[in-house]
Amino acid sequence: MIVCPSCRAVNEEDVTFCTKCGRSLEPGPVMLAPRRTDLAERPPMELKPPRKRSKWRPVVILGIVGTVLLGGATILLLKPNPCRGTNFASDNFGYCLSVPEGWVAQPARFGSSATLDEFAPPRASATVIVDAADLTDGAQLDQWAAFVRQKDQAAGLIPGPATGLTLDGVDARQWDVSVTSDSGDGYSMREVVVVRDNVGWRVTLSDRSGGFASSAGTLKLMLQSWRFR
């Protein structure tokens, strides 16, 4: 059967014109006109009075909003602050620590774009540099340590044996490097590397050999206060 798009009369399949209104039943772009009915055929329209607003509705809405706000505040209050007890939170990387008394934290620029964190006493040769780099998914600590040791070797340094430690509960590696400048001054370095969430961290202490033992002790205190965030 074919329904006429004009009067909506039902026609047989083989007809090309509507038997009621004569409209063509050939396929093509057509506009469906609404079916007209006499007023007597239309069902009476029932007009319902608007529902009376409950006097409790504003109270319920305020109660829901208050519950949501209270829940959010509770989460913020209960969420532990990893930097509690420290006095430095990095603007460049996701960590915080306690800067020793007498030391100063400041940004260190390398090249045109790299900004690292630097810690140093005002009148001494010791410096601690913190850097971080994004690694490939699944990167392991041993791979990162081997990469940093290769960097040291490429710079003409000879890394010493690596030993293990932890940084905020995460396994890390450290080793020392000694070098003599062209002027004959001896310098020592300590490299500390760790991998967390596919980010490779590198903490480098450098100082004159004569003051290295003291600055290495200071670095140890800094690393004990280290917190990832």
Side-chain angles (χ1 to χ4, degrees):
M1 297 182 182
I2 301 177
V3 177
C4 176
S6 179
C7 68
R8 302 190 183 186
V10 177
N11 298 268
E12 296 296 334
E13 291 284 347
D14 55 350
V15 299
T16 57
F17 294 91
C18 178
T19 56
K20 184 176 181 180
C21 67
R23 178 73 178 269
S24 173
L25 300 178
E26 293 293 333
V30 295
M31 179 179 296
L32 297 179
R35 181 180 181 183
R36 297 185 179 182
T37 56
D38 295 335
L39 293 177
E41 298 178 5
R42 297 180 183 177
M45 181 179 295
E46 182 181 359
L47 298 178
K48 296 182 179 181
R51 292 182 59 184
K52 193 174 182 179
R53 294 186 64 180
S54 172
K55 64 179 180 179
W56 298 106
R57 183 179 180 187
V59 178
V60 172
I61 294 176
L62 288 176
I64 295 174
V65 172
T67 302
V68 172
L69 293 177
L70 180 61
T74 302
I75 292 174
L76 291 177
L77 290 175
L78 296 179
K79 183 179 179 181
N81 179 11
C83 295
R84 180 173 298 173
T86 64
N87 58 16
F88 173 81
S90 174
D91 293 331
N92 300 313
F93 311 110
Y95 77 98
C96 47
L97 52 74
S98 292
V99 180
E101 185 177 356
W103 285 54
V104 177
Q106 58 188 6
R109 276 208 165 270
F110 289 84
S112 59
S113 58
T115 302
L116 313 181
D117 292 339
E118 179 183 67
F119 306 89
R123 293 180 297 275
S125 57
T127 58
V128 173
I129 300 293
V130 177
D131 188 13
D134 293 328
L135 306 179
T136 57
D137 291 343
Q140 301 297 314
L141 172 60
D142 290 338
Q143 296 172 319
W144 175 238
F147 174 80
V148 176
R149 289 175 69 90
Q150 289 175 1
K151 287 285 189 180
D152 288 345
Q153 292 170 350
L157 307 177
I158 302 176
T163 58
L165 72 158
T166 59
L167 209 60
D168 193 17
V170 182
D171 289 339
R173 299 283 187 273
Q174 70 175 16
W175 60 87
D176 292 343
V177 178
S178 297
V179 61
T180 301
S181 66
D182 295 337
S183 60
D185 295 327
Y187 289 87
S188 296
M189 297 172 53
R190 175 160 295 175
E191 297 271 28
V192 180
V193 294
V194 64
V195 173
R196 183 177 183 270
D197 296 337
N198 297 321
V199 175
W201 295 81
R202 180 181 183 180
V203 183
T204 304
L205 163 69
S206 61
D207 197 359
R208 291 181 182 271
S209 297
F212 182 75
S214 176
S215 57
T218 301
L219 174 65
K220 183 177 180 180
L221 295 176
M222 294 174 65
L223 297 181
Q224 288 175 348
S225 69
W226 182 288
R227 296 293 181 269
F228 291 106
R229 60 183 175 90

